[in-house]
Amino acid sequence: MAEGINVRFSGALQQFIRERVEGTGLYSSASEYLRDLVRHDFEREEERRWTSLREELRAGLEADAAEFVPLDAESLIRTAKA
């Protein structure tokens, strides 16, 4: 069973949410509107993480093959043990 989170809004924020729900017709309830906001925020964060990862890998992906050095696993292990 999903665990719920209760949130209370008052004043200007409550009015803003009401206007979004009642004024646009895009959402049937405040809960639906808030779930949509959280979902979009989640997607933005996921995209930010992927973008960050791509930036970290860019140098390797764009490197010329001549820049790579062949590695021998056995010699690496011997060196690490020494």
Side-chain angles (χ1 to χ4, degrees):
M1 183 184 299
E3 183 178 324
I5 297 174
N6 294 314
V7 180
R8 290 188 180 271
F9 293 95
S10 61
L13 289 177
Q14 184 180 34
Q15 184 58 35
F16 180 79
I17 293 168
R18 280 193 182 128
E19 289 170 4
R20 290 291 192 213
V21 173
E22 297 166 4
T24 65
L26 295 173
Y27 304 99
S28 61
S29 67
S31 293
E32 184 181 346
Y33 172 60
L34 293 170
R35 278 192 300 273
D36 192 46
L37 287 175
V38 171
R39 196 174 299 113
H40 281 93
D41 189 38
F42 178 83
E43 291 168 356
R44 279 191 303 271
E45 179 62 17
E46 287 290 301
E47 182 55 33
R48 186 197 64 75
R49 289 178 180 179
W50 280 112
T51 298
S52 177
L53 178 60
R54 283 191 290 272
E55 283 300 313
E56 289 291 323
L57 297 174
R58 182 183 310 276
L61 292 170
E62 294 177 352
D64 185 81
E67 296 180 55
F68 291 94
V69 176
L71 297 175
D72 173 43
E74 293 299 323
S75 69
L76 285 173
I77 293 170
R78 278 192 304 274
T79 303
K81 285 182 178 180

